[in-house]
């Protein structure tokens, strides 16, 4: 395991053809790996359009078991070929239950496990509670070929507890695949800046690099705003994409430097768990 980790975020628009969407991720991943990426993050639910804007029973047919999902079956050989880590976002079917999940592929193409989205939104344009159960896996951090990586999924990125738990579990890098854009109930509501600031705050408070990959494009009036980015452990945005680009961005960080800075800032040394516990007791 090297002293540095090189991470890339992918950004693209996605249509109805799942094979075309997978091919887009394949192409961008190859470009990112050729540029030196070791960890490659595609956006959330890249298998097709973001179907959760409305409640339609027909969309349940889009789900597959994690070990049979076309995105996993196609990208596992790619991860092995390129020698890269890829968190694959899928619509997962597990018996009668449905989840918004990530399957973590290691650099040998092997499956390290599945994380199921913990926080499920329910609002105009983002009616995910109709489709997904809250995750039952707990927050996950994986020992990959290039370091310990934690992954949250979209709505998870707004919750500081998720970032803190993954860092306490030993994460050296936090990844957030995302599908976020316009708010249909209020055309004047622009959330891209606060979306970033929330994750930059996680980076600052946990002294950890954070990467987020979003989609772009107009999907029946729902405009996804891209602006995928990677920030360092101080919260500084190091690389970013604009609101329309189909491309990748790459950044590398020094694992030893981040670990040293985290120790020096003392956020984990000074945590008062003896006080916090009183606030989380059942009413």
């Amino acid at each position: 395991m090297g002293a540095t980790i090189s991470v890339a975020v992918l950004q693209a628009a996605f249509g109805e053809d799942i094979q075309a969407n997978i091919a887009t991720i394949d192409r961008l991943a190859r470009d990112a790996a050729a540029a030196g990426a070791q960890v490659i993050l595609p956006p959330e639910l890249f298998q097709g359009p973001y179907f959760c804007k409305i409640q339609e029973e027909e969309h349940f047919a889009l789900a597959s078991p994690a070990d049979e999902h076309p995105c996993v079956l196609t990208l596992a050989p790619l991860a092995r070929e390129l020698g890269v880590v890829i968190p694959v976002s899928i619509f997962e079917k597990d018996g009668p239950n449905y989840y918004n999940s990530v399957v973590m592929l290691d650099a040998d193409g092997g499956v390290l496990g599945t994380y199921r989205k913990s926080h499920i939104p329910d609002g105009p344009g983002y009616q995910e509670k109709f489709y997904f159960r809250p995750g039952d896996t707990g927050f996950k951090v994986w020992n990959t070929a290039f370091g310990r990586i934690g992954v949250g999924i979209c709505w998870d990125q707004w919750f500081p507890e998720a970032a803190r738990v993954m860092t306490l579990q030993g994460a050296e890098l936090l990844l957030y695949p995302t599908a976020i854009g316009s708010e249909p109930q209020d055309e004047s509501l622009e959330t891209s800046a606060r979306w970033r600031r929330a994750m930059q705050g996680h980076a600052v408070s946990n002294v950890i690099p954070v990467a987020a990959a979003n989609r772009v494009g107009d999907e029946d009036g729902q405009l996804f705003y891209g602006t995928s980015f990677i920030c360092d452990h101080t919260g500084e945005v190091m690389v970013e994409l604009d609101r329309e680009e189909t491309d990748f961005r790459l950044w590398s960080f020094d694992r030893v430097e981040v670990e040293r800075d985290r120790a020096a800032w003392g956020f984990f040394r000074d945590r008062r768990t003896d006080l916090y516990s009183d606030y989380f007791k059942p009413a």
Side-chain angles (χ1 to χ4, degrees):
M1 191 177 298
T4 62
I5 302 178
S6 296
V7 57
V9 291
L10 310 184
Q11 180 171 288
F14 304 104
E16 297 286 350
D17 186 338
I18 186 173
Q19 294 304 322
N21 297 330
I22 293 172
T24 295
I25 296 301
D26 181 294
R27 174 176 58 81
L28 291 172
R30 290 180 184 278
D31 291 345
Q38 298 168 315
V39 179
I40 298 175
L41 178 65
E44 180 187 22
L45 297 172
F46 63 82
Q47 65 185 68
Y50 180 74
F51 56 86
C52 308
K53 63 185 297 183
I54 55 175
Q55 299 181 17
E56 295 285 354
E57 296 174 5
E58 65 189 48
H59 294 318
F60 286 104
L62 300 172
S64 299
D67 59 355
E68 299 175 10
H69 199 285
C71 293
V72 175
L73 295 178
T74 304
L75 293 182
L78 179 69
R80 181 173 63 250
E81 175 190 345
L82 300 178
V84 297
V85 172
I86 307 177
V88 182
S89 174
I90 64 167
F91 186 11
E92 181 192 2
K93 175 177 171 58
D94 181 20
N97 299 321
Y98 295 82
Y99 299 96
N100 187 338
S101 301
V102 159
V103 177
M104 179 62 91
L105 302 177
D106 207 358
D108 62 358
V111 174
L112 294 178
T114 299
Y115 166 67
R116 292 169 172 166
K117 187 173 181 177
S118 298
H119 303 93
I120 311 298
D122 185 31
Y126 303 90
Q127 299 181 40
E128 294 194 14
K129 280 188 168 65
F130 181 73
Y131 299 100
F132 310 129
R133 289 175 60 88
D136 59 0
T137 60
F139 300 111
K140 303 292 284 288
V141 172
W142 286 280
N143 286 314
T144 75
F146 303 112
R148 287 183 59 79
I149 298 174
V151 182
I153 303 173
C154 201
W155 196 234
D156 288 331
Q157 67 210 357
W158 298 94
F159 294 83
E161 300 90 344
R164 176 52 56 90
V165 167
M166 288 187 283
T167 310
L168 285 170
Q169 290 178 328
E172 301 173 278
L173 168 67
L174 298 182
L175 305 178
Y176 292 100
T178 297
I180 189 170
S182 60
E183 303 288 342
Q185 81 282 9
D186 184 354
E187 293 182 358
S188 68
L189 183 57
E190 164 57 54
T191 62
S192 60
R194 72 179 77 178
W195 170 72
R196 279 194 179 193
R197 286 195 294 266
M199 286 178 281
Q200 289 173 268
H202 301 333
V204 173
S205 297
N206 294 286
V207 194
I208 192 170
V210 173
N214 194 17
R215 63 175 63 204
V216 294
D218 187 335
E219 299 183 9
D220 295 323
Q222 190 170 20
L223 186 63
F224 292 89
Y225 52 57
T227 62
S228 304
F229 72 100
I230 305 171
C231 67
D232 70 5
H233 61 289
T234 73
E236 188 75 23
V237 173
M238 306 307 292
V239 293
E240 60 187 337
L241 288 131
D242 67 20
R243 302 178 75 95
E244 299 179 352
E245 289 177 286
T246 293
D247 207 343
F248 74 92
R249 290 291 183 272
L250 172 70
W251 183 67
S252 300
F253 67 92
D254 188 310
R255 302 166 67 233
V256 175
E257 177 187 354
V258 173
E259 184 176 6
R260 184 189 65 231
D261 283 2
R262 186 181 297 131
W265 275 83
F267 295 148
F268 293 88
R269 178 196 65 210
D270 299 340
R271 290 176 64 248
R272 288 293 304 276
T273 55
D274 57 318
L275 299 179
Y276 302 155
S277 60
D278 290 338
Y279 294 95
F280 296 100
K281 292 178 179 178

